[in-house]
Amino acid sequence: MKIDRLSWVPAGLFVMVMVFGVAATANASSSGAHWGYTGDVGPAHWGALDPTFEMCAKGKNQAPIDITGAMDTELAPIQFAYGPSEAEILNNGHTVQVNLAAGNQIMLNGRTFHLKQFHFHTPSENTVNGKFFAMEAHLVHADADGNLAVIGVMFNKGDANPVIASLWAQMPKKAGAHKKLEATVDPMTLLPAAKDHYRFNGSLTTPPCSEGVFWLVMKNALPVSSAQADAFTALMHGPNNRPVQPINARPILE
């Protein structure tokens, strides 16, 4: 099969995701079924907790994955239109999420995706050649039809991250709590300077694990201190990363 190296997108990549309100976050499902990251409600059991979660067990294009064997292609660059934005920070009990005011967007394969929110996982959910990172941020975008594109940004342990420091100083300690950030936040500060990345078709990484999500994982990592990563893990009462899922027949592009 001939591949247009500048614009190719895997078949079915832009499937309508009917759970737009979940938007690849760690939010609870609309059914209210309780899920978590350990024990009888952990990832191995998600598919059996609620009928709407069946893709967690049956899906063939699930995320996260171990990024390996990527195909070397000439990917069209992501066009970023980010800037300072008013935002709200939320502790939903599964992650800390920052909901952004309208105005930030990316252009990808001729489509405009609007940045809705970003949130965090410790350790990373996606891995690269089997390597975990200290933390991973997910920047969640949606187009006008509700199709999702998620940018993954890895964090290596190193110096304290000033952006993370500002967010952590304001993050609610109680699940369900939220508040407006004291200052605007520029999502560009959560991206590495070089925008080289991997692309693959995947899913939400939390119930209901709906597929048709376009994943873009940055190759270059940002720093985060051990104290910052540990503070987030402690707030979540442990790691909040879903184990990597089988790649199956999916291509991974770089």
Side-chain angles (χ1 to χ4, degrees), residues 15 24 39 55-56 90 92 129 138 145 157 170 180 192 200 203 212 219:
V15 173
M55 290 302 289
C56 300
L90 164 71
N92 64 22
N129 295 320
H138 291 164
D145 296 320
K157 286 188 177 179
Q170 301 176 74
K180 183 178 179 181
F200 60 90
S203 71
K219 290 185 176 183

Side-chain angles (χ1 to χ4, degrees), residues 126-148:
N126 294 291
T127 59
V128 179
N129 295 320
K131 177 188 175 182
F132 281 92
F133 295 80
M135 188 167 73
E136 182 175 355
H138 291 164
L139 288 78
V140 182
H141 307 71
D143 70 6
D145 296 320
N147 302 303
L148 300 181

Side-chain angles (χ1 to χ4, degrees), residues 20-46:
F20 172 72
V22 181
T25 75
N27 290 344
S29 76
S30 58
S31 72
H34 174 63
W35 60 270
Y37 288 98
T38 59
D40 293 341
V41 295
H45 303 282
W46 286 352

Side-chain angles (χ1 to χ4, degrees), residues 75-167:
L75 292 175
I78 306 167
Q79 296 175 282
F80 291 92
Y82 286 174
S85 175
E86 293 189 345
E88 173 191 65
I89 191 166
L90 164 71
N91 176 349
N92 64 22
H94 296 298
T95 190
V96 168
Q97 176 176 311
V98 176
N99 298 321
L100 297 159
N104 294 289
Q105 62 190 38
I106 59 173
M107 285 288 294
L108 190 65
N109 298 109
R111 293 173 182 258
T112 299
F113 289 84
H114 301 277
L115 179 60
K116 302 297 184 180
Q117 51 97 341
F118 58 84
H119 61 271
F120 301 90
H121 297 270
T122 54
S124 67
E125 295 206 298
N126 294 291
T127 59
V128 179
N129 295 320
K131 177 188 175 182
F132 281 92
F133 295 80
M135 188 167 73
E136 182 175 355
H138 291 164
L139 288 78
V140 182
H141 307 71
D143 70 6
D145 296 320
N147 302 303
L148 300 181
V150 179
I151 295 177
V153 180
M154 303 301 189
F155 291 78
N156 275 322
K157 286 188 177 179
D159 294 335
N161 187 302
V163 179
I164 297 300
S166 177
L167 293 174

Side-chain angles (χ1 to χ4, degrees), residues 183-208:
T184 58
V185 59
D186 187 346
M188 283 299 290
T189 61
L190 284 171
L191 297 175
K195 305 302 188 291
D196 299 335
H197 62 279
Y198 303 99
R199 296 187 188 184
F200 60 90
N201 185 20
S203 71
L204 305 179
T205 66
T206 61

Side-chain angles (χ1 to χ4, degrees), residues 7 9-10 54 61 66 71 147 168 170 201 214 216 227 248-249:
S7 61
V9 176
E54 65 177 358
N61 294 304
D66 179 33
M71 299 169 57
N147 302 303
W168 273 206
Q170 301 176 74
N201 185 20
F214 193 16
L216 308 106
N248 296 319

